[in-house]
Amino acid sequence: HCPATCIGATSSSLLRLTNPSRLPIAYEWDPPAKAAGVLAVTPPSGMLRGRESVEVQWDFSPAEARQYLLRVPCLLSALDDGRTSAGGRGHEVVKQTLTVSGVGATGELRAEPRALDFASVLVGDTQRRSLTLINSSAVDLFYSLAFEQIAADGADADAGAFSDAEGAPLLRCDHSEGIVPARNTVDAYLLCSPRQRGPLRFRVLCALRPCAPGAGDTSPGLAPAFDAEGSLGPPKELCVVSASAEYPLLQIVDARLAGVAQEVLAEHLRLADANAELRAVLSDVEVRLTSAEGLHGGGDIASITSLLRSVDMWLPPALLGAADTELHLLLRNTGGLPLS
């Protein structure tokens, strides 16, 4: 019996042949014509010495979704003991029949959720989310995942947009290839690693394979394109992944100082300029400061501060020796990330 197999794929089963007699025998499989392309045997013929056994591999490759029942004759003949070469004198040929059964079935893989949202992700950080692959069919399915980045206008982005300047993928999977057993699920984890501020959207595509992926391929990510050769049909979209790559966003929404009108205080503090700077795209120096490596060779804090853009905020004058002036600022986190 061959296991249920997806159309276009191949499954293998082992059969042990044993010669229980003391005399050597020759055997040869004679598959019927209707088994061509569906059933293959390795080795197709051979010789067994007395009490010897051999394993024969049967490869089942269904072309239709149906039950297969094939009768394969095996031709057996005894050989004279001690003369087992091709020149040895043969005996009467005996035919034995092996019945091979198998089921061809269609398979389909789907994923949950259909829309996977990473929400806000810190630029330079890596976030992980689970994607459940579901196989509701009666056959094991070998899969390969790939990603297509979606541009802001909804079109597919070019291949270069899939990775950053260093070539690291913005979205990858810890198990981009594998198997989902029949009527079972597998969790694949997607990792998002944005390198600059902005929205990100990807399509997750899945191609079914006729056999297990190559051993030794442990790459955590895939290029955003499939090699169509060897796939069971075109890739299918499983889900759409979205994320918003951000830095922490802080705004000064109010300022209070006793005895000073709010409009005058806002002008002295240049709140509009300060908020514009807080919203601005980070400079190269700021990007290096917020990276894991930091800014090497920047010197002390005063030297580093001198490299940053600044906004002069003026407080109204106060009398010498007077009580401390207390300025109250109301700060609001306007982004999607927690900040301190």
Side-chain angles (χ1 to χ4, degrees), residues 256-260 265 315-328:
R256 299 293 176 93
L257 181 62
V260 181
L265 184 61
L315 286 173
L319 293 175
L320 185 63
D324 293 341
T325 299
E326 292 187 356
L327 171 66
H328 297 271

Side-chain angles (χ1 to χ4, degrees), residues 1-6 8-16 38-42 55-62 100-103 140 142 179 210-212:
H1 176 74
C2 296
T5 306
C6 186
T10 300
S11 64
S12 298
S13 299
L14 293 178
L15 175 71
R16 178 176 288 274
V38 176
L39 200 61
V41 57
T42 305
E55 282 193 338
V56 178
Q57 177 175 308
W58 293 88
D59 295 326
F60 176 54
S61 306
V100 182
S101 63
V103 176
D140 296 345
F142 299 99
I179 180 174
C211 58

Side-chain angles (χ1 to χ4, degrees), residues 24-275:
I25 62 171
Y27 69 91
E28 181 178 359
W29 296 100
D30 186 24
K34 64 180 181 179
V38 176
L39 200 61
V41 57
T42 305
S45 62
M47 186 206 56
L48 289 174
R49 293 182 174 85
R51 311 270 198 258
E52 189 178 20
S53 297
V54 66
E55 282 193 338
V56 178
Q57 177 175 308
W58 293 88
D59 295 326
F60 176 54
S61 306
E64 302 175 26
R66 66 179 181 86
Q67 175 82 35
Y68 287 83
L69 191 64
L70 300 169
R71 289 178 171 84
V72 183
C74 183
L75 307 179
L76 303 172
S77 65
L79 297 174
D80 287 340
D81 192 14
R83 288 185 293 173
T84 57
S85 65
R89 183 170 61 85
H91 295 265
E92 180 184 358
V93 175
V94 177
K95 183 172 72 172
Q96 293 188 353
T97 301
L98 175 70
T99 300
V100 182
S101 63
V103 176
T106 56
E108 183 179 15
L109 208 61
R110 60 187 178 89
E112 288 185 359
R114 288 282 297 165
L116 180 61
D117 187 10
F118 278 83
S120 297
V121 181
L122 179 64
V123 174
D125 195 12
T126 297
Q127 292 291 324
R128 189 173 79 157
R129 297 287 186 275
S130 173
L131 182 68
T132 301
L133 305 179
I134 303 171
N135 178 11
S136 56
S137 59
V139 293
D140 296 345
L141 296 177
F142 299 99
Y143 70 89
S144 293
L145 299 182
F147 310 103
E148 281 185 356
Q149 189 167 1
I150 305 172
D153 57 2
D156 292 341
D158 57 35
F162 180 74
S163 56
D164 62 12
E166 286 76 30
L170 304 179
L171 183 69
R172 63 189 190 277
C173 181
D174 66 343
H175 287 89
S176 56
E177 293 185 330
I179 180 174
V180 183
R183 299 185 180 91
N184 217 320
T185 63
V186 167
D187 285 336
Y189 289 93
L190 305 185
L191 296 93
C192 182
S193 306
R195 294 296 182 267
Q196 60 184 11
R197 181 187 295 177
L200 292 172
R201 295 189 71 219
F202 290 89
R203 292 187 183 94
V204 180
L205 304 178
C206 176
L208 298 181
R209 302 292 187 183
C211 58
D217 182 7
T218 58
S219 173
L222 268 179
F226 277 115
D227 178 9
E229 185 178 354
S231 298
L232 301 179
K236 173 189 174 183
E237 180 179 312
L238 290 183
C239 74
V240 174
V241 177
S242 58
S244 178
E246 298 181 7
Y247 288 106
L249 296 176
L250 186 70
Q251 293 284 279
I252 305 172
V253 295
D254 195 12
R256 299 293 176 93
L257 181 62
V260 181
Q262 283 183 269
E263 295 79 4
V264 175
L265 184 61
E267 183 178 352
H268 277 77
L269 296 178
R270 298 178 61 191
L271 293 187
D273 294 338
N275 283 330

